[in-house]
Amino acid sequence: QARAAAETRARVTPTGRRSMTITRKSRTLALVLPAIALGVLLAPLSAQTTHTVLQLNFDFSPNDLTIDVGDTVDFKWTSETHTVTEGLGPVPTGGEAFDQLINPANQIFSVTFDTKFLFTYPRVNDTYDYYCIPHLSFGQVGVVRVISPWSNDGFALAGAAGEPLLYGNGTLAAGTNAEVVLENAAPNALVGLFISFASFPVPFKGGTLCTVPLDSLTLFPIGATGGVTLADTIPAGIPSGVEMFWQYAIQDAAAPKGVALSNCLRSTFP
């Protein structure tokens, strides 16, 4: 009972009235949730870095690049005609994350490796190999390795607009801005944002809820776009390695039991 009383519970009613009881269960939750519990966008995402990879004869330079999630890579042409094609080759198969010609008419090709990109084109360890189609035999290959604190643990349950997508942006480093983004939900729906510090998935409304044991539940309506972005500045004091699990339940008559579910989003603080 004492442990249960020490847990944090946050709830926003459909009318917008909010009540919260905060005790010793999670200082981290109290640090992270002020803006999210209000359901508002308070801070723009911190600026990310743009990296340059040059095509030099039959090489990419640098050909092994490690970046933070949200960074952009500019592939720059210098001579002849080449491609920047994701994968190991020798030819595209149709599932590439990117495949672009670079030549005098297309001298710069940019790819932003944000979390939505990583979730749309998932690769092992967020590592993206690429090559030049006509010059693969010359060894013209490269790799981009993305360091990301966000993981997609699955469990989305489709509604009227398909599977709702939940992703985060930002490095989660103290003092930087981060955001949690919901897309592809039913317009004007009532949603519940479930948050936990561990994940023991259980059946829920014809799907799977990953945020068990539950630490926070916030209810609020979303707008006509079928999405919402919640953002705040990451405070100091969150221990390295702490994991949080996020999942939305969306009121949706087209879902199997009237509720669609986003994927389970896992964030790991650096």
Side-chain angles (χ1 to χ4, degrees):
Q1 290 180 342
R3 182 176 181 179
E7 292 183 348
T8 299
R9 294 292 184 265
R11 184 182 298 271
V12 178
T13 68
T15 60
R17 297 180 61 186
R18 174 175 173 270
S19 64
M20 180 180 287
T21 302
I22 298 179
T23 52
R24 66 180 178 82
K25 163 69 177 178
S26 175
R27 178 171 176 265
T28 301
L29 192 66
L31 286 170
V32 172
L33 287 186
I36 291 176
L38 292 173
V40 294
L41 176 63
L42 295 183
L45 195 63
S46 299
Q48 302 300 128
T49 301
T50 298
H51 307 264
T52 298
V53 172
L54 293 176
Q55 166 271 312
L56 297 175
N57 296 319
F58 302 131
D59 290 304
F60 294 109
S61 180
N63 61 9
D64 192 328
L65 182 64
T66 299
I67 66 174
D68 285 323
V69 65
D71 286 359
T72 296
V73 178
D74 286 346
F75 297 92
K76 290 190 176 182
W77 169 88
T78 63
S79 63
E80 301 188 26
T81 295
H82 303 265
T83 73
V84 181
T85 304
E86 191 262 332
L88 295 173
V91 294
T93 62
E96 290 74 25
F98 48 86
D99 180 20
Q100 178 64 46
L101 193 70
I102 54 173
N103 57 22
N106 301 286
Q107 296 188 16
I108 299 177
F109 170 55
S110 298
V111 180
T112 298
F113 292 85
D114 57 18
T115 308
K116 185 175 181 180
F117 178 92
L118 302 187
F119 285 7
T120 303
Y121 302 102
R123 302 292 184 264
V124 176
N125 296 324
D126 295 327
T127 297
Y128 293 81
D129 295 286
Y130 62 93
Y131 64 101
C132 172
I133 295 172
H135 303 123
L136 177 60
S137 62
F138 291 81
Q140 190 173 353
V141 299
V143 60
V144 176
R145 309 175 195 273
V146 186
I147 298 173
S148 175
W150 308 96
S151 300
N152 182 355
D153 286 354
F155 301 125
L157 180 64
E163 293 185 352
L165 176 64
L166 180 61
Y167 60 93
N169 285 315
T171 65
L172 298 184
T176 66
N177 297 333
E179 61 185 18
V180 175
V181 183
L182 174 67
E183 295 182 355
N184 213 39
N188 303 309
L190 177 67
V191 303
L193 175 57
F194 295 75
I195 299 175
S196 69
F197 288 92
S199 180
F200 297 92
V202 298
F204 181 77
K205 297 293 185 180
T208 301
L209 186 68
C210 76
T211 51
V212 177
L214 181 65
D215 285 288
S216 173
L217 170 59
T218 305
L219 303 177
F220 57 93
I222 61 173
T225 63
V228 62
T229 297
L230 309 176
D232 201 1
T233 301
I234 302 300
I238 299 176
S240 176
V242 166
E243 290 186 326
M244 294 180 69
F245 298 84
W246 317 67
Q247 192 172 19
Y248 273 98
I250 302 109
Q251 192 174 53
D252 190 327
K257 294 189 177 181
V259 175
L261 296 173
S262 75
N263 56 294
C264 180
L265 176 66
R266 174 161 42 100
S267 56
T268 305
F269 288 88

